[in-house]
Amino acid sequence: MTITIINALLAVAGGVLGAIALFWLLNKLAELLPSKAQETVKPFVYLLPAFAAIGLYLIYPFVQTLVYSFANRDSTAWVGLDNYTELLTSPSFRSTLLNTFLWIIVVPVFAIIFGLLVATLADRLRPGSEKTAKTFIFLPLAISAVGSVAIWRLIYEAKPAASDQTGLLNAIWTSFGGDPVAWLQTTDLRLNSFMLMVILIWTQAGFAMVLLSAAIKGVPVDTMEAARIDGAGENKIFFRIVLPQIRATMITVFITVLIGVLKTFDIVYVATNGNFDTNIIAVSFYQELFVNRNAGTAAAIVIMLMIVILPVMLYQIRQFRAEEATR
């Protein structure tokens, strides 16, 4: 443990001192130029390490992945679009795409709904009670994805009908006369996929609550008071005054949660490993690369995932710019 801490401190110190030494050296080299040239060159000198890092850690891996997506399983021969056509014509991968699409729609929407509900109700509590309530709602976000799955697997656990049900959900279900259900193995109507989505909604509702609560508190009180004087009810005030004014925050929360959904791996991998028709794109990529050792297909999956994420990122950038323009 002591050696690990020492190595970590040395790594941090080395990184900081190395960065200082690099910029000092680049500055000294720039100062060798004439005064007018220094003014032109110095900004680019300071930006050079950042551009180099972006090129090394982002652009180069992207180009390499794109090239691999047109190659065979060990990246030794060119196969054109075969990886993409095989994936899109595979029933199992089409099922994976459908699951991923359901995750994209269901998780952000319900995270916003529950976050908005909790934010609205908690804001009506006394200050001390409000902080306590929000702390408990936000707490799941501090739990790792693996820890969250471990908790919810206990809730979903199913025992034989003759045994006592230790899983909370089956204990409630059987108390009403139903038979125990293996929730994570039931493929009817993709019930098991929705059960896994509940785990991510549980963790993301607190994040949505914090942002939406801040947005609600930012709605001018005068506007709501004027509406009350005019005879508007609380429901009409909420839907016609509050919601339109927090629309930008809701979009931001939706996109942020959506990006998190597209990167979701731990929940499905730990809970079912993609079995029982619960697979999603991130788990499918892992299986192709590390289980099937098929680098070409794995790269094609990553490229398709990037194609899905890119419009979302561009839309989010446009939203941020629009918000900045209105301030």
Side-chain angles (χ1 to χ4, degrees), residues 211-231:
L211 269 67
L212 294 172
S213 177
I216 291 171
K217 289 181 183 295
V219 175
V221 178
D222 295 344
T223 308
M224 293 186 285
E225 289 298 331
R228 291 189 182 100
I229 293 172
D230 290 339

Side-chain angles (χ1 to χ4, degrees), residues 19-327:
I20 293 173
L22 175 63
F23 282 107
W24 179 84
L25 178 62
L26 291 174
N27 184 66
K28 287 297 182 183
L29 291 174
E31 288 179 349
L32 297 176
L33 300 172
S35 300
K36 290 185 178 180
Q38 285 186 36
E39 295 178 2
T40 305
V41 171
K42 273 191 176 181
F44 295 99
V45 167
Y46 292 124
L47 290 173
L48 183 63
F51 284 134
I54 291 172
L56 180 62
Y57 295 112
L58 291 179
I59 298 175
Y60 172 71
F62 167 74
V63 173
Q64 188 179 46
T65 302
L66 183 62
V67 172
Y68 283 173
S69 71
F70 298 109
N72 61 355
R73 63 184 308 113
D74 54 1
S75 305
T76 57
W78 185 266
V79 296
L81 296 173
D82 288 356
N83 291 325
Y84 294 95
T85 54
E86 287 177 10
L87 283 171
L88 295 175
T89 56
S90 167
S92 62
F93 189 72
R94 288 204 299 267
S95 176
T96 298
L97 288 178
L98 177 58
N99 269 339
T100 305
F101 176 75
L102 291 174
W103 277 75
I104 288 172
I105 298 299
V106 173
V107 174
V109 168
F110 279 90
I112 288 176
I113 290 173
F114 287 120
L116 190 59
L117 179 64
V118 173
T120 304
L121 296 177
D123 286 346
R124 297 175 183 270
L125 298 173
R126 290 174 298 179
S129 301
E130 177 189 349
K131 291 179 181 179
T132 303
K134 287 183 176 180
T135 299
F136 280 108
I137 298 298
F138 187 80
L139 193 60
L141 191 61
I143 303 174
S144 68
V146 176
S148 299
V149 173
I151 292 170
W152 281 89
R153 286 188 69 172
L154 294 175
I155 295 173
Y156 294 149
E157 189 174 7
K159 297 287 187 181
S163 305
D164 293 332
Q165 297 300 318
T166 57
L168 177 62
L169 196 54
N170 271 311
I172 296 172
W173 181 255
T174 55
S175 68
F176 287 99
D179 294 326
V181 178
W183 301 104
L184 297 182
Q185 300 176 15
T186 303
T187 58
D188 295 340
L189 301 176
R190 299 186 183 268
L191 179 63
N192 49 359
S193 288
F194 288 109
M195 289 297 180
L196 294 177
M197 294 177 202
V198 168
I199 302 174
L200 189 55
I201 293 170
W202 179 64
T203 60
Q204 294 299 315
F207 165 76
M209 173 204 66
V210 171
L211 269 67
L212 294 172
S213 177
I216 291 171
K217 289 181 183 295
V219 175
V221 178
D222 295 344
T223 308
M224 293 186 285
E225 289 298 331
R228 291 189 182 100
I229 293 172
D230 290 339
E234 292 301 320
N235 289 336
K236 187 174 290 187
I237 291 172
F238 180 76
F239 286 103
R240 295 195 178 183
I241 296 177
V242 176
L243 282 186
Q245 295 196 54
I246 65 170
R247 176 178 172 272
T249 303
M250 292 174 64
I251 292 173
T252 300
V253 172
F254 183 91
I255 293 174
T256 305
V257 175
L258 188 151
I259 292 171
V261 168
L262 290 172
K263 297 187 295 182
T264 298
F265 168 81
D266 319 56
I267 292 174
V268 175
Y269 178 74
V270 175
T272 63
N273 195 26
N275 296 320
F276 312 112
D277 210 17
T278 60
N279 212 1
I280 56 176
I281 284 184
V283 178
S284 181
F285 160 74
Y286 172 84
Q287 291 169 342
E288 288 294 337
L289 184 60
F290 296 103
V291 179
N292 300 332
R293 300 292 180 181
N294 192 338
T297 303
I301 291 173
V302 171
I303 294 300
M304 285 192 281
L305 181 60
M306 292 179 65
I307 291 172
V308 172
I309 292 178
L310 188 60
V312 177
M313 296 296 295
L314 292 175
Y315 179 77
Q316 188 176 29
I317 292 171
R318 289 182 60 186
Q319 283 295 123
F320 286 150
R321 287 179 177 174
E323 289 179 26
E324 290 294 329
T326 55
R327 289 179 182 175

